[in-house]
Amino acid sequence: MTVEKMDPVEVFAAGEKGRGLRVTKEMSAGDVVFAEASFAAVVFDSLSLQVCHSCFRRQANPHRCAQCKFAYYCDRTCQRAAWDEHKQECSAIKKIGKAPNENVRLVARILWRIQKDTGLVSDTQLTTLDLLEDHLSEMSPEDLKELKVDVQHFYNYWPKKSKPVGEDYVSHLFGVINCNGFTLSDQRGLQAVGVGLFPNLCLVNHDCWPNCTVILNPGNQTALDASFHSKSRIELRALGKISEGEELTVSYVDFLSVSKERQRLLKQQYYFDCKCEHCTSGIKDDLMTAIRDTDGHKPSADVVKAVTDFSLQALLKIEEARTEGNFHEVVKICRECLEKQDPVFGDTNLHLLRVLSTASEVLSFLQQFTEAAGYAQRMVDGYAKLYHPNNAQLGMAIMRAGVTHWHAGLIEAAHGLICRAYGVLIITHGAHHPITKDLEVIRTQTEMELCLFKQNELVYRSMREAVLSDKPMMLAGEQIKTTS
């Protein structure tokens, strides 16, 4: 083994994209190409009180570090597992009286790791942090100004007793995490809760229609014997067959934007011009901007523009009401918006899908499950025509739609959706991921309920109400409200 190669991948020159990774043997859908623990990772500032700083799980009543009073953990088991990484951070936060922002904390953790283990911490690490791109020369004056502020905050935070670090190298690391940091999700995969640096993953280039996906496996810290603990890690998983010698790709942005918008986002955040086939050919742009065609008649350009403008304004109002916690107002705006959109937009139009997604989610929260299920089904039908069939976000959307139908008592549709979601997530997340395990439990439950429903619907309805009143449904270790 060398620093440039590990079974089953190797570094290669990928033309104008720079370095890349390719496979040295054929891969199949669901195969783990490689797994990688973070070089360093931190919880977002905004969620530091709600998320475990070790395994990144959301917790209702986390255990707080008594020394720095900043870090929170699931329990003392997670706290002990994190101590080696946290101890210097703990002392630094305690000394200055508060924690700096997540970027400063991440750079500090990276440097403590380098000083402890050097920049190459295992024989499976394919590159050093020194060789990762920072794109400092391509940053805008505004971004450079913000970076310099972070560098100053870093030096205010960096303990005097720690080994001095030059400003150029600190700036380099801030640049690296700006364009190479990987967002970490909670145990349900529904919310971004932190950011980490994974050197091998940094070598995987972008494609809007990639052959791989990346998921966070939170690991297991529950065993009493710490030797049986497994650390959180990312897994690069194949979405389909990948031939020997083929380049590995992931998508740096959500596919659900038209090609020009994806290109703009990639240029702004990652400093390159995307020339993938989907961008250069505008593949699926027509679906994302689809206009309803009724018996050969389409709305006029003026009508389309008016409804588009209305939709954009409505989405801003929806976000504002949602931020304020005014969920009934969110539903009201969504209904008004859908009434205007339905005669004009096609089923795959992004403006329509965004309103359907919000409406189904908020109505589920308000326990209006039947209406929520209808919107969720429309959303899933649209997503399925846009996303790669094994896209993780598609799988999660189908899963949520299935659970919503289950809550609504629509057991036949619910079980079908849950099975569809399982078929996607078994590839994107694997059989042992907490989300997939919980989905398998739900799948078994809905299958049993479906059998009972087909035998005697009245008995099924009576038993369902009795069971739900005594035993709440669970998803990824969290109770799901079931009152309908």
Side-chain angles (χ1 to χ4, degrees), residues 96 125 158 227 247 284 355 370 410:
I96 66 172
Q125 187 178 318
W158 189 245
S227 64
E247 181 178 8
K284 302 211 175 190
V355 177
T370 301
L410 304 170

Side-chain angles (χ1 to χ4, degrees), residues 338-364:
L338 288 169
E339 189 176 348
K340 288 186 177 294
Q341 290 177 334
D342 280 338
V344 176
F345 291 154
D347 295 338
T348 54
N349 187 288
L350 294 183
H351 297 310
L352 175 68
L353 291 176
R354 282 164 186 152
V355 177
L356 288 171
S357 175
T358 301
S360 63
E361 183 181 341
V362 174
L363 283 164
S364 292

Side-chain angles (χ1 to χ4, degrees), residues 36-288:
E36 182 180 20
S38 66
F39 195 93
V42 295
V43 172
F44 287 147
D45 302 336
S46 58
L47 296 170
S48 62
L49 305 181
Q50 306 163 39
V51 174
C52 176
H53 289 223
S54 177
C55 69
F56 294 87
R57 295 174 185 269
R58 293 181 67 92
Q59 291 294 336
N61 297 295
H63 174 79
R64 186 173 72 169
C65 173
Q67 296 298 313
C68 68
K69 296 181 171 49
F70 170 74
Y72 284 80
Y73 302 97
C74 296
D75 48 34
R76 292 193 181 278
T77 302
C78 264
Q79 185 175 10
R80 283 193 296 270
W83 180 242
D84 189 49
E85 280 188 294
H86 177 59
K87 59 186 175 184
Q88 288 169 294
E89 173 186 76
C90 183
S91 176
I93 292 173
K94 187 177 177 183
K95 187 166 184 178
I96 66 172
K98 64 176 183 178
N101 69 45
E102 60 229 23
N103 285 348
V104 173
R105 288 187 285 115
L106 181 55
V107 167
R109 280 198 167 201
I110 291 169
L111 285 165
W112 281 317
R113 181 79 186 270
I114 289 173
Q115 292 183 359
K116 176 177 176 286
D117 297 322
T118 76
L120 197 63
V121 298
S122 74
D123 58 2
T124 59
Q125 187 178 318
L126 298 170
T127 186
T128 63
L129 274 62
D130 296 0
L131 295 175
L132 293 177
E133 290 286 347
D134 58 30
H135 295 285
L136 294 179
S137 62
E138 298 164 78
M139 282 189 178
S140 68
E142 293 79 12
D143 289 342
L144 282 172
K145 186 176 179 180
E146 287 183 18
L147 185 144
K148 287 182 179 179
V149 171
D150 277 341
V151 170
Q152 186 56 53
H153 287 161
F154 167 82
Y155 282 115
N156 293 337
Y157 174 62
W158 189 245
K160 297 293 186 287
K161 64 180 181 180
S162 293
K163 185 178 177 182
V165 188
E167 186 173 335
D168 286 349
Y169 194 63
V170 172
S171 298
H172 166 72
L173 290 179
F174 274 109
V176 165
I177 64 172
N178 179 61
C179 53
N180 288 290
F182 176 73
T183 300
L184 305 175
S185 61
D186 62 9
Q187 68 268 35
R188 293 179 68 184
L190 302 180
Q191 183 180 13
V193 296
V195 61
L197 188 66
F198 300 82
N200 289 350
L201 182 61
C202 294
L203 293 170
V204 181
N205 287 316
H206 164 85
D207 194 290
C208 290
W209 200 258
N211 56 21
C212 290
T213 190
V214 186
I215 61 105
L216 175 71
N217 188 323
N220 183 359
Q221 301 290 338
T222 60
L224 294 176
D225 186 342
S227 64
F228 291 104
H229 291 171
S230 61
K231 294 190 67 173
S232 63
R233 60 196 181 274
I234 58 98
E235 293 175 351
L236 186 74
R237 306 182 69 93
L239 294 177
K241 178 184 174 183
I242 305 176
S243 302
E244 180 181 346
E246 186 177 342
E247 181 178 8
L248 299 167
T249 56
V250 295
S251 182
Y252 295 177
V253 296
D254 185 6
F255 181 68
L256 291 196
S257 293
V258 294
S259 53
K260 287 188 181 301
E261 177 62 12
R262 292 198 307 273
Q263 287 176 315
R264 184 190 69 79
L265 290 170
L266 290 164
K267 184 69 171 180
Q268 177 182 304
Q269 178 66 34
Y270 300 101
Y271 307 99
F272 70 87
D273 297 308
C274 184
K275 297 178 181 177
C276 76
E277 182 184 4
H278 276 69
C279 280
T280 54
S281 301
I283 297 174
K284 302 211 175 190
D285 282 0
D286 56 338
L287 290 175
M288 295 185 193

